[in-house]
Amino acid sequence: MKRFSPLAGRLAACAVAAIALVALDGAVQSVMAQNPFGGPRPAPGSEIGGLVGWILSKQSEFYREISAALRLAKSDGSAVWSLLAVSFAYGIFHAAGPGHGKAVISSYLVANRETARRGIALSFASALMQSLVAITVVAVIAWLLNATAKTMCGAEKAIEIGSYALIAAFGASLVWTKGGRFMRALQATRPEPALAVADHGHRHGHDHDHGDGHVHDDHCGHSHGPAPEELAGPGGWRRGLAAVLSVGIRPCSGAILVLVFALAQGLFWAGIAATLVMGLGTAITVAIIAVVAVSARDLARRLSEAREGSGVLIMRGIEFGAAGLVLLFGSGLLLGYITAERVTCL
Amino acid sequence: MKAALRLLLVFLPALLPVLLLGAGAAEAHPHVWITSTSELIYAPDGTLTGVRHAWTFDEMFAAYALQGIETKTKGAYTREELAPLAQTNVESLKEYAYFTFAKADGRKEKFNEPVDYFLDYKDNQLTLHFTLPLKAPFKAKALVLEVFDHSFFIDFKLAEKDPVRMVGAPEGCQMKIQRPSDGSASAQQLNEQTFMDGGANSNFGMMFANKITVDCP
């Protein structure tokens, strides 16, 4: 049986991802079709039952309290403390909503076999960056330049598109790497005659890295340890940075509104403090979700360990699938199939 | 079979984040609050020609919208000073179909671009006024008008007092107003409405839409 060249394998993997994208396009559209104007849609706020409804109504409540606390802080300095408390609570609840890169960060962690600890670090880094971008946008456009909302909204839109493009590019690069690995695992597990076995042995010698693969307790089946450069490490940090950058560059509309409102009240510093605390709350929620995702992947790995041979394939498949998801989120957001929080343009 | 199982094993855990997080994917919470009053404008012959809205923004959004606007007197904004912003507003609203959805006897009606639009700033409140002319003015036995943002970025609330007025409506026309929170979208009504509209799914929107119905003889 003819072996694919690595390049062909990767190209095939990317093609599969592209086809899946097109297929999902249809699926997503039909899902979205349930929400046209005037169409059916679950009622917001109190009318949605369960956890989601509760989270929605809570964040809505906290958000309104932020503006009330800011107004109060103008005359009563001690209200700043309640402003910070409400902002923190808002951040925690708000991150459970759309945006904030939970899905991207979690998928990246699964795809790139990151540890829970790094997941937490990435969550905090991206939330901090999100806050800093919001503060910078308002400080430069509103405070320094005293430009209008139209300018600000234009900047927000540009940043938004940039963020989605970055996520898509990041996802594409993950698909490229993980697709190659998935294809290799696919070939390795295929029951093949003598030639393949010989080949198998050959590859074993090249790919298996005893030092790295086993120290990290990374179960790699009986062969095909990860190439060192693909493990978390120097290269991994660079990739982690890409995750933080692509997610963190888009500020949340709520923070922008709060900052501009604070500026209008002459309390810009309070708005900055509120935004940073909000980011802290967001980071906590995203970190929790990231840890859940990493744990789920580890559970899958442990389950798949029991299966000789195909266990590797399953894990490579999961990684590839997660990489594909990042690409899917990026392109979905870019093309408007996935709706994130709208930017404040009216 | 085995391959299918394998595929499932591959994609189920990979989809976990989506299942986990996707539930809230389209669920934003409102960032802007609008208190709305509207007028239904009828021609002398009884056709509905358009809708005139007055939308008052919440304080936070008002501060955002007013950012950077030059004024002669600090804190006071004239209609002229606000004109460029009003222009931006109506242009942006186009993308969202002005959050206004009309049905005449079950048929969707479209609006032309707004006319007579302006912003005013009174008692620290910013209000956008605009008239939406109907593309094709009509006479309808049953008019349904809904004002809402399907993505719920904006929370529309009908004003407490006289949220909707009929201007020059034919005699005998009855108006009913349904607010999202007043519980009038009860299960029974929903079923009845669903049946009348001939679509099982066409009516959940009214649970949070501000729904105005006018029945004429």
Side-chain angles (χ1 to χ4, degrees), chain B residues 5-159:
Chain B
L5 194 77
R6 186 180 286 177
L7 213 70
L8 200 72
L9 256 170
V10 166
F11 282 103
L12 268 188
L15 282 174
L16 192 82
V18 176
L19 296 176
L20 206 70
L21 320 169
E27 302 290 350
H29 71 89
H31 285 70
V32 180
W33 283 262
I34 287 177
T35 308
S36 143
T37 54
S38 309
E39 284 174 0
L40 304 175
I41 300 165
Y42 291 87
D45 68 341
T47 52
L48 182 71
T49 57
V51 181
R52 177 150 189 81
H53 286 307
W55 289 351
T56 302
F57 299 105
D58 69 287
E59 196 184 4
M60 194 131 92
F61 180 76
Y64 176 88
L66 293 171
Q67 157 61 36
I69 292 177
E70 305 278 345
T71 55
K72 278 206 190 82
T73 337
K74 199 173 181 288
Y77 300 85
T78 64
R79 198 179 283 195
E80 290 69 38
E81 286 163 342
L82 293 172
L85 179 60
Q87 182 70 33
T88 308
N89 286 163
V90 292
E91 279 166 13
S92 310
L93 284 170
K94 190 179 182 183
E95 189 184 335
Y96 308 105
Y98 311 100
F99 303 114
T100 306
F101 311 97
K103 263 188 190 172
D105 298 325
R107 192 182 64 249
K108 274 182 195 162
E109 296 290 343
K110 285 190 177 140
F111 292 101
N112 280 328
E113 286 178 18
V115 292
D116 303 332
Y117 47 85
F118 65 92
L119 279 163
D120 67 22
Y121 190 73
K122 270 185 223 150
D123 309 322
N124 297 322
Q125 288 195 314
L126 183 67
T127 305
L128 176 68
H129 302 262
F130 64 104
T131 301
L132 282 173
L134 277 156
K135 218 159 226 160
F138 58 82
K139 276 184 193 169
K141 276 200 163 60
L143 163 73
V144 178
L145 188 76
E146 288 174 293
V147 180
F148 70 100
D149 176 6
H150 79 296
S151 73
F152 206 43
F153 189 81
I154 302 171
D155 186 356
F156 282 94
K157 191 174 157 250
L158 292 176

Side-chain angles (χ1 to χ4, degrees), chain A residues 42-99:
Chain A
S46 57
E47 279 145 12
I48 292 183
L51 188 67
V52 176
W54 183 71
I55 289 173
L56 276 176
S57 66
K58 274 292 161 200
Q59 59 167 330
S60 200
E61 207 175 286
F62 287 135
Y63 184 70
R64 295 230 81 174
E65 280 176 29
I66 291 176
S67 60
L70 255 170
R71 209 179 311 122
L72 206 65
K74 209 176 165 184
S75 51
D76 175 11
S78 65
V80 170
W81 294 110
S82 62
L83 169 69
L84 294 184
V86 172
S87 301
F88 180 67
Y90 172 70
I92 287 186
F93 279 89
H94 188 49

Side-chain angles (χ1 to χ4, degrees), chain A residues 14 17-18 21 167-173 175 322-332:
Chain A
C14 288
L21 212 74
I167 292 172
F170 179 51
S173 90
V175 164
L325 271 181
V326 176
L327 175 59
L328 211 66
F329 287 134
S331 48

